[in-house]
Amino acid sequence: MSALVLVVVGVLTGLTTVVFGFGGGFVTVPVIVWVDAAAGPAAATVAVATSSLVMVVNAVVATAATPRPVLRRLRGTAPLLVLLGIGGLGGAVAACSAPARLIHWGFVVYLAVTVVDGLARPGFLRPAPAAAAAAGRRAFAVPAASGLPIGAVAAFLGVGGSVMTVPLLRRSGLPMGVTAALANPLTACVSAPACAVFLATAQGADTRALVSAFGSVDLGAAALLLLGALPVVVLLRRRPPRIADRLHAGGYLALLCLVLTAMLVRTP
């Protein structure tokens, strides 16, 4: 039953990768915590580690299938991309030895803050016309200096980079479709070094109860998630769904609420 659940969640992960730019991070973390409950307190670390592998594969595939004109918006962002990777590396190292409850509740608090901010502050559900007009003229919406903290927090909590970068890109006036597409390469930059760290070490995570563990990563769970996700990513990137912009933004916040509820139900 857990294998089937992982494949189905993988399909959802592929959908959210394309539609919301998530890469799968906060969708997969609660599910892997449940599936790998046999790892006890280490389940949160295993979930973050496994999520990093799923995210980097999904994000790279989605980026490769993104139209070139959209990716041209990333010109001049090399310092940001490098700092995202360095931050991701540091966050992953910290997660390997952090208490499971800290990761779990950090995840919960960050999602809650993001939801409240998206609902309470103008510019997310419906971008201001002035911001939309300026989006094509200004520099990239995510400052290079923010790459380090974004990468560190994202890798530590297993949320990829999209939960942080999507609101920033959205408030710059970009439509949700472009925002989600740009979030994928940013997520890949965070997740790749973090994934390397998690594959290389099981420090802080007792994975002996997991048959398919490699380092801190549950390779079996990752494979099932990707089995469901990758066909969806390829299909939807070639034929992206048409969603009204405000509905698209509302769906983003609704999914955050759903994942937040799942993490609160599964409290360590």
Side-chain angles (χ1 to χ4, degrees):
M1 176 60 78
S2 61
L4 177 60
V5 169
L6 286 171
V7 173
V8 171
V9 170
V11 172
L12 176 61
T13 297
L15 179 64
T16 60
T17 297
V18 174
V19 176
F20 299 115
F22 288 155
F26 67 81
V27 177
T28 57
V29 167
V31 177
I32 298 170
V33 167
W34 169 67
V35 169
D36 286 339
T45 302
V46 172
V48 170
T50 306
S51 171
S52 72
L53 176 58
V54 174
M55 283 189 295
V56 71
V57 175
N58 280 343
V60 167
V61 172
T63 299
T66 297
R68 300 305 104 178
V70 174
L71 292 179
R72 287 193 195 106
R73 291 177 178 269
L74 292 172
R75 284 177 176 171
T77 62
L80 169 65
L81 302 181
V82 170
L83 288 173
L84 283 171
I86 295 172
L89 183 66
V93 171
C96 285
S97 56
R101 290 181 67 86
L102 177 60
I103 295 174
H104 180 96
W105 286 109
F107 190 102
V108 167
V109 169
Y110 189 80
L111 288 189
V113 169
T114 303
V115 170
V116 171
D117 182 68
L119 291 172
R121 203 153 57 103
F124 187 86
L125 288 176
R126 179 181 290 174
R137 302 193 301 267
R138 65 173 56 144
F140 195 68
V142 183
S146 66
L148 201 61
I150 287 175
V153 174
F156 183 79
L157 299 180
V159 297
S162 57
V163 182
M164 297 182 172
T165 58
V166 164
L168 289 172
L169 292 168
R170 175 67 171 168
R171 286 203 165 87
S172 75
L174 293 174
M176 279 297 294
V178 174
T179 295
L182 292 175
N184 283 311
L186 302 182
T187 294
C189 289
V190 174
S191 301
C195 181
V197 170
F198 288 129
L199 285 169
T201 178
Q203 181 182 355
D206 185 358
T207 58
R208 289 173 293 181
L210 306 178
V211 175
S212 58
F214 190 94
S216 299
V217 177
D218 184 346
L219 290 180
L224 290 168
L225 288 164
L226 291 171
L227 178 65
L230 292 181
V232 176
V233 172
V234 173
L235 177 64
L236 292 184
R237 262 287 164 250
R238 290 178 177 174
R239 294 184 177 86
R242 295 182 180 180
I243 307 172
D245 191 64
R246 191 172 187 184
L247 178 62
H248 200 163
Y252 177 94
L253 294 179
L255 190 53
L256 285 184
C257 290
L258 180 62
V259 176
L260 176 60
T261 302
M263 289 299 282
L264 289 172
V265 170
R266 178 63 178 86
T267 302

